[in-house]
Amino acid sequence: MKSFTYERATSPAQAAAIVARTPGAKFLGGGTNLLDLMKLEIETPTHLVDVQDLKLDRIEKTREGGLRIGALVTNTALSADERVRRDYGVLARAIQAGASGQLRNKATTAGNLLQRTRCPYFYDPNMPCNKRKPGSGCSAIGGYSRQLAVVGSSDKCIATYPGDMAQAMRVLDAAVETVKADGTTRAIPIADFHRLPGDRPEIDNVLERGELITGIALPKPLGGQHFYQKVRDRASYAFALVSVAAVIQKDGSGRVSFGGVAHKPWRVAAADAALPQGAQAVAQRAFAEARPTEDNRFKIPLATRALASVIAQAKAPRA
Amino acid sequence: MVSGSAEFEISRRGVLACSGAAVALTAVPAEAQGPTAAAAPATLPVTLTVNGTRHDLTLDTRTTLLDTLREHLHLTGTKKGCDHGQCGACTVIVNGERINSCLSLAVQHQGDKVTTIEGLGTPDKLHPMQAAFVKHDGFQCGYCTPGQICSAVSVLDEIRRGIPSHVQADLTEKPGFTNIEMRERMSGNICRCGAYSNILDAMSDVAGERA
């Protein structure tokens, strides 16, 4: 690991200002992904600004009847919150489907959104990777791509966004609240937060340098039945091959986001609209522009069947 | 080295500690004397309470909580497996919650209370979970065991506190001390010897006494 200096920020705006003006500085939340990457020298910050003292660890009601989740609320605390379990089941389920108990105890809400891809070539410093080293090439295209993106990818990068929580946030139309170095704040719709790789796969999201996530706002509850169906290589503690976050209403309408298939949570308006017609109709629209590799072509029928299973559960009489 | 001394009792740990020191002695000056040596690594004071004892340390900022426990406090019960949060061998309990000590910097834990396997029980007075692991043969080589036991103690506490899990049918209900709940919650602790079923027996035994 490269040497770095460390300080604890005392306010969100101060933290943002320090990172904006200090070359090589990064925010440190729980650290469960950043430390992992620093040990491999994939991330090499020269200064860490620890935000743990910023009191962003509360879940509060909003005036609009929703919830505001502080950036530092741990994954365990968020998925255990009574209001989240009752009104935002898809979110509780998605978090519980990710990582391990130890990691969820330390990992933060903001950090979960910001976790980096698990593409094996991003993680291997000996191999070219446009996300890790811009311009070096993509080893995954033509390489081992079983876990990687089938849709929204580019000729520069076929990495996926690996997280589960953000799939639920996407279905719930959450907003990512931030503060910038000059103290101004903004709310970024989750739909616009993560980028597609395009020609700049090294940029995962739309945050500006020094812009700090302070919380995530959930609109008022949607009602309906909430599902998070994750398909992976082992029954627990593995990243998704595909996942389906869904909220389905009594009349069969609803919302669906697919995980493990793209560089961002993959939700398509036309696909949502096709929910009453069944999984095949949704998948045809969600994956209309898919460009899978030979190794990951299986993800499209797998995602379709995962959604079919969710729709069947929604139709089944409640026990 | 004092290996010629008749009184010196050679243990595997002693040999490892000595050879570790020898490596450190040869490596550090070479780096420090280099003509292009970078600025000295940043250090910071850190205070931790480990197993009830307060420690005031000055550490390189890069030092993980795991390396602080093992290399600075010589509490070698906590093990380094993958060093990337994938195996759970480094699991310790910080302020009442289990975490991977390899994925945390010591400087993040200023003022925190840490419990390691050495703090759960002693050879003379085992923690009930330690005793249950012995009774049910919940290990083979033993390397993952301190992490398994710290995790197992926390898992029972998490179920008792009603922390929900992936295998829960109804999100609004309290979880039970069932086999499937414990299996799911222990998935962050890998055992290369495959002692899983005996670990589950040990946990069920302790959970049964609590229920």
Side-chain angles (χ1 to χ4, degrees):
Chain A
M1 202 188 308
K2 300 280 190 198
S3 187
F4 57 86
T5 48
Y6 169 96
E7 73 180 298
R8 289 205 185 184
T10 54
S11 80
Q14 183 226 17
I18 297 169
V19 170
R21 72 167 181 254
T22 313
K26 270 191 113 66
F27 299 117
L28 172 64
T32 52
N33 190 204
L34 183 58
L35 263 284
D36 177 28
L37 294 168
M38 285 168 64
K39 288 179 183 194
L40 297 166
E41 299 190 357
I42 294 166
E43 296 276 8
T44 53
T46 53
H47 185 63
L48 286 183
V49 179
D50 189 335
V51 297
Q52 69 170 290
D53 297 330
L54 300 188
K55 300 192 167 46
L56 300 171
D57 57 355
R58 285 186 285 263
I59 303 174
E60 300 162 324
K61 278 189 193 164
T62 65
R63 248 176 285 164
E64 295 75 29
L67 284 183
R68 174 169 291 106
I69 302 153
L72 298 175
V73 173
T74 65
N75 291 175
T76 298
L78 181 55
S79 85
D81 184 273
E82 272 183 36
R83 295 160 293 186
V84 173
R85 288 156 76 172
R86 187 187 62 221
D87 297 332
Y88 304 96
V90 64
L91 178 57
R93 289 283 187 206
I95 293 169
Q96 289 150 15
S100 66
Q102 291 96 313
L103 289 167
R104 291 192 297 270
N105 281 345
K106 191 79 185 126
T108 65
T109 303
N112 195 321
L113 273 190
L114 296 175
Q115 63 181 307
R116 309 218 57 196
T117 187
R118 260 55 182 198
C119 174
Y121 300 102
F122 176 74
Y123 260 78
D124 183 351
N126 298 308
M127 298 294 285
C129 168
N130 287 323
K131 185 181 276 297
R132 178 168 31 76
K133 192 175 176 198
S136 63
C138 174
S139 308
I141 296 172
Y144 180 73
S145 59
R146 179 172 175 273
Q147 297 153 287
L148 303 176
V150 296
V151 69
S153 55
S154 75
D155 294 337
K156 297 276 198 306
C157 181
I158 59 170
T160 52
Y161 170 76
D164 296 298
M165 185 193 79
Q167 310 303 331
M169 295 291 192
R170 180 68 186 89
V171 159
L172 295 169
D173 277 337
V176 183
E177 300 182 336
T178 69
V179 61
K180 296 188 199 179
D182 62 4
T184 56
T185 61
R186 64 168 171 160
I188 307 165
I190 186 77
D192 304 331
F193 183 79
H194 293 104
R195 295 176 67 255
L196 288 179
D199 289 334
R200 300 291 302 276
E202 72 277 18
I203 307 173
D204 289 348
N205 56 60
V206 300
L207 291 177
E208 294 172 14
R209 167 121 202 107
E211 188 172 7
L212 176 73
I213 298 175
T214 52
I216 298 184
L218 301 180
K220 66 175 197 258
L222 288 171
Q225 293 188 69
H226 290 223
F227 300 93
Y228 191 74
Q229 184 89 42
K230 181 173 179 179
V231 185
R232 43 187 162 174
D233 282 332
R234 54 186 185 196
S236 182
Y237 196 23
F239 287 98
L241 290 168
V242 301
S243 69
V244 171
V247 175
I248 299 184
Q249 304 293 345
K250 269 194 188 134
D251 62 2
S253 69
R255 305 174 174 192
V256 59
S257 177
F258 293 96
V261 297
H263 201 258
K264 61 188 290 186
W266 195 251
R267 182 175 167 206
V268 174
D272 272 10
L275 255 175
Q277 298 155 51
Q280 198 67 46
V282 173
Q284 271 169 10
R285 288 158 180 82
F287 299 109
E289 322 241 315
R291 296 195 311 168
T293 67
E294 279 311 306
D295 289 343
N296 66 23
R297 194 174 296 281
F298 73 94
K299 285 191 175 194
I300 296 169
L302 188 60
T304 310
R305 290 197 291 267
L307 177 60
S309 150
V310 163
I311 293 172
Q313 289 172 64
K315 284 181 177 162
R318 307 288 284 275
Chain B
M1 290 273 286
V2 285
S3 52
S5 161
E7 288 86 10
F8 186 67
E9 188 190 334
I10 294 180
S11 72
R12 192 167 62 103
R13 179 151 298 145
V15 170
L16 289 172
C18 286
S19 49
V23 170
L25 281 173
T26 51
V28 173
E31 228 173 58
Q33 288 162 6
T36 55
T43 59
L44 280 175
V46 183
T47 299
L48 296 170
T49 300
V50 181
N51 302 329
T53 305
R54 180 189 156 121
H55 297 276
D56 297 300
L57 303 160
T58 298
L59 298 170
D60 186 314
T61 51
R62 290 171 290 186
T63 315
T64 60
L65 179 58
L66 172 61
D67 287 341
T68 304
L69 295 169
R70 288 184 54 85
E71 309 298 333
H72 295 265
L73 302 181
H74 306 296
L75 292 167
T76 50
T78 307
K79 296 294 187 273
K80 182 181 283 193
C82 68
D83 210 22
H84 286 275
Q86 295 171 6
C87 75
C90 69
T91 303
V92 298
I93 303 168
V94 176
N95 299 338
E97 298 207 316
R98 59 181 170 142
I99 66 168
N100 298 111
S101 62
C102 74
L103 286 187
S104 229
L105 297 168
V107 290
Q108 290 175 271
H109 292 283
Q110 175 64 31
D112 284 357
K113 291 186 171 62
V114 182
T115 302
T116 69
I117 190 71
E118 292 94 341
L120 282 179
T122 64
D124 299 329
K125 197 182 175 205
L126 295 177
H127 183 282
M129 190 65 77
Q130 292 171 314
F133 267 64
V134 173
K135 178 180 162 192
H136 292 279
D137 207 9
F139 50 87
Q140 201 176 116
C141 82
Y143 194 81
C144 72
T145 311
Q148 298 279 1
I149 291 176
C150 285
S151 220
V153 167
S154 293
V155 161
L156 297 194
D157 184 51
E158 287 165 15
I159 295 175
R160 187 182 53 73
R161 287 190 283 134
I163 303 290
S165 89
H166 175 62
V167 296
Q168 220 168 299
D170 183 344
L171 270 180
T172 57
E173 282 187 3
K174 286 204 100 178
F177 292 91
T178 61
N179 190 289
I180 189 171
E181 279 288 353
M182 293 193 272
R183 288 169 70 97
E184 160 61 23
R185 291 165 194 264
M186 289 296 286
S187 68
N189 291 83
I190 310 296
C191 172
R192 180 68 176 76
C193 304
Y196 298 111
S197 63
N198 292 0
I199 290 171
L200 260 295
D201 288 346
M203 291 178 68
S204 300
D205 199 341
V206 178
E209 284 171 25
R210 297 169 62 123

